[in-house]
Amino acid sequence: MVSTRATLRDVHGALDAATTYDQWLAAAREHDRLTGAEDWRAEDASAHYDATAVRAAVDRWRRLRAAGDPIALAEALTEDFYRHQNELAASELYEVALGGTKHLVETFLAEGEASLEWLVDAEAPGLDDAAKLQRFEIAYKVFGRSALLLSGGATLGFHHLGVVKALFEQGLLPHILSGSSTGAMIAAGVCARDDAELAAMYADPSVIRLDGLAPVGLARAVGQGAWLDPEHLYEVLHHNIGGRTFAEAFAHSGRALNIAVSPTRSRQKPRLLSHLTAPDVLVARAALASSALPGLFPPVELLARGPDGGVVPHSPGERWVDGSLYEDLPKLRLARLHNVNHFIVSQTNPHVLPFVRHYGRRGLRSTLAGIAGSALRTQGTWAADLLRRVNRRGRGPVGQAIDRAYALVSQDYGGDIDIHPQFQWRLYRKVVSNPTREDLAGFIREGERSVWPQVAIIRNQTRIGWAFRRCIGRLQERAG
């Protein structure tokens, strides 16, 4: 707890020492009081939105609820959400205060949430629960959904466990998750568990096996073209994830899992496996394929549950490798499959972290480092594209390596909200090694800490979406 007479040095120390979000938030609020950021929050005016129009929308919703006019309220909400949604989500509104944004923005969202809840119970001529449900589902589709995307990252990807833990404890874990490589392992383990099972896993992380990386002998390494044992990793993944298919995992947890895999054939396209596109595929096997980085693991054949309950090959003859190679963050396909238009990204890829470590930091040094990083990435993309053009008729391993290099450097590795651990060079020696229990605790702790400064923006940008889901759930129960 921060003393009421704390100095900024004390507050910074309390922020660094916090072990829970409540401790961090108490220190953040004291920081805002001492720096004057709390006064900024209390002022309605902002260059990023029309404060008068926002306040008028809030007053209009309140009047219509008091007058008992659900039809007019529904029309007003549609118009006002469309008008103000993007401007009130501006990231600049979360760069002043640690504890949140303008109180007017939070009032707008709270009143919008209350209005949607009120519409569920309000009596409207000619609208029974079934008709209301249809209108809410259409409105939710227009509004869009949020998803959590977990990047690759080898052993650094265990940070994702802390990110998920922090979001889960705050009631902010999206029901749509995507993962590539290590991110696929984590997303699969999360989506294979319901809320009670997920809470139990975090209460006792010792249930997670950490011994997935097992070297093979030299003769076998040469024969399979990879240094690590895929069968051993699959055994560990089966322990951590279970034996469910994508459809079974979705039915059990209510969370929509999506796993990216990359092709081994030049004319094959990357795939996003989910309960919609590959319902019978075994989740653990998909996670193995998405983690098969060439050189470390051989390509993987997907397996599925057959009509008789047995395990059979899925797309016989096709082999798949690391999902991060071609599409670490499959935003376009998530948009098409699930109507996602808001992406929360947890980024831990070793080749990406050096370029994003300065994001969110101020000062000349961070600015110059960010510019240098962007320039280096641009030059890398140009060089890889040049090699592709020179080798455009080339086939075989060289052409495939060039294509993969281009895909790696040219991808978009960001989202609407980006979460990444503090960059530390010393962690790179653990990139391809099994973490210890102490390492795992550190990864989870750092993953949680990377989320805490983002909780306010995540909560506000997803608040109306969560309200839509609750309202639709209530109407579905009542409509039978």
Side-chain angles (χ1 to χ4, degrees):
M1 199 67 181
V2 183
S3 167
T4 55
R5 300 182 65 181
T7 66
L8 274 178
R9 178 178 293 181
D10 296 329
V11 169
H12 290 153
L15 288 168
D16 291 338
T19 58
T20 67
Y21 176 67
D22 287 342
Q23 292 175 359
W24 184 91
L25 183 59
R29 286 172 173 167
E30 183 64 13
H31 173 276
D32 293 344
R33 185 186 69 81
L34 290 173
T35 60
E38 181 55 41
D39 295 333
W40 171 86
R41 294 184 67 191
E43 296 175 353
D44 285 356
S46 171
H48 301 291
Y49 59 80
D50 184 338
T52 300
V54 172
R55 177 62 68 183
V58 169
D59 292 341
R60 178 163 55 251
W61 299 343
R62 289 170 174 168
R63 286 197 310 271
L64 292 171
R65 292 204 307 266
D69 192 341
I71 302 300
L73 177 60
E75 293 175 353
L77 286 170
T78 300
E79 178 183 345
D80 293 331
F81 282 159
Y82 181 81
R83 178 179 180 183
H84 300 295
Q85 178 183 357
N86 287 339
E87 60 188 14
L88 297 184
S91 60
E92 292 85 354
L93 292 171
Y94 295 86
E95 295 177 353
V96 178
L98 295 180
T101 187
K102 294 280 191 178
H103 293 317
L104 178 58
V105 173
E106 294 173 347
T107 298
F108 178 92
L109 296 171
E111 289 296 326
E113 182 179 29
S115 295
L116 290 174
E117 299 279 3
W118 183 86
L119 285 173
V120 171
D121 298 317
E123 292 187 7
L127 286 180
D128 58 11
D129 286 339
K132 283 185 181 180
L133 175 60
Q134 184 180 31
R135 292 198 175 195
F136 264 92
E137 288 176 336
I138 292 173
Y140 187 27
K141 184 174 182 178
V142 172
F143 188 82
R145 299 175 178 178
S146 298
L148 174 64
L149 285 64
L150 307 181
S151 76
T155 302
L156 300 186
F158 281 93
H159 281 105
H160 296 318
L161 280 170
V163 170
V164 171
K165 182 175 185 283
L167 293 174
F168 178 64
E169 290 179 345
Q170 293 301 313
L172 297 174
L173 180 63
H175 75 286
I176 300 171
L177 285 84
S178 172
S180 299
S181 195
T182 308
M185 300 182 192
I186 305 302
V190 171
C191 293
R193 290 171 168 83
D194 61 22
D195 285 356
E197 292 165 341
L198 192 57
M201 184 194 75
Y202 281 117
D204 181 17
S206 68
V207 300
I208 304 172
R209 282 187 61 177
L210 304 176
D211 60 329
L213 305 183
V216 298
L218 179 60
R220 182 178 170 186
V222 172
Q224 70 179 17
W227 286 104
L228 299 176
D229 186 345
E231 287 82 10
H232 180 79
L233 177 58
Y234 186 49
E235 177 189 341
V236 172
L237 289 174
H238 194 278
H239 171 87
N240 290 338
I241 298 167
R244 290 190 172 94
T245 66
F246 279 88
E248 292 165 348
F250 178 69
H252 180 71
S253 70
R255 287 184 260 272
L257 171 65
N258 301 265
I259 290 181
V261 292
S262 298
T264 55
R265 290 192 299 112
S266 60
R267 297 188 183 278
Q268 179 64 282
K269 293 182 178 181
R271 287 195 62 186
L272 188 64
L273 307 171
S274 73
H275 71 283
L276 298 175
T277 63
D280 298 323
V281 169
L282 298 180
V283 169
R285 193 71 179 184
L288 176 67
S290 188
S291 305
L293 182 66
L296 294 182
F297 290 102
V300 172
E301 181 181 49
L302 296 174
L303 300 177
R305 184 96 65 222
D308 61 353
V311 175
V312 299
H314 178 78
S315 298
E318 293 288 357
R319 297 292 190 275
W320 305 90
V321 293
D322 195 310
S324 293
L325 293 178
Y326 285 96
E327 203 166 15
D328 190 49
L329 307 175
K331 291 183 286 188
L332 181 58
R333 286 185 289 168
L334 286 171
R336 290 172 176 169
L337 282 176
H338 302 289
N339 195 42
V340 174
N341 62 356
H342 182 255
F343 301 93
I344 303 169
V345 171
S346 179
Q347 180 58 252
T348 61
N349 263 308
H351 64 284
V352 178
L353 285 179
F355 298 102
V356 301
R357 63 174 172 159
H358 301 283
Y359 288 3
R361 297 185 183 181
R362 299 178 181 178
L364 180 61
R365 181 178 178 181
S366 293
T367 300
L368 292 176
I371 292 172
S374 297
L376 182 61
R377 182 170 181 266
T378 300
Q379 291 301 314
T381 302
W382 177 84
D385 185 49
L386 179 62
L387 286 173
R388 288 176 74 218
R389 293 173 184 275
V390 170
N391 192 62
R392 62 180 176 223
R393 293 187 178 181
R395 293 289 185 269
V398 173
Q400 192 172 57
I402 293 173
D403 285 344
R404 288 173 177 173
Y406 175 77
L408 279 173
V409 297
S410 64
Q411 290 183 49
D412 176 7
Y413 289 102
D416 296 287
I417 297 175
D418 295 312
I419 301 168
H420 54 83
Q422 287 298 311
F423 178 80
Q424 299 177 47
W425 282 111
R426 64 179 179 81
L427 290 178
Y428 275 56
R429 63 184 174 84
K430 298 176 184 260
V431 165
V432 187
S433 63
N434 292 317
T436 64
R437 292 292 165 188
E438 183 179 0
D439 291 334
L440 179 64
F443 285 138
I444 292 176
R445 182 169 57 251
E446 178 58 30
E448 288 183 274
R449 291 185 59 81
S450 66
V451 172
W452 294 342
Q454 308 267 38
V455 165
I457 188 171
I458 293 171
R459 176 173 286 120
N460 286 345
Q461 289 193 2
T462 61
R463 187 167 184 174
I464 300 303
W466 282 111
F468 269 117
R469 280 182 59 80
R470 287 196 306 274
C471 291
I472 289 172
R474 288 174 58 196
L475 288 168
Q476 286 174 334
E477 289 181 3
R478 288 184 354 202

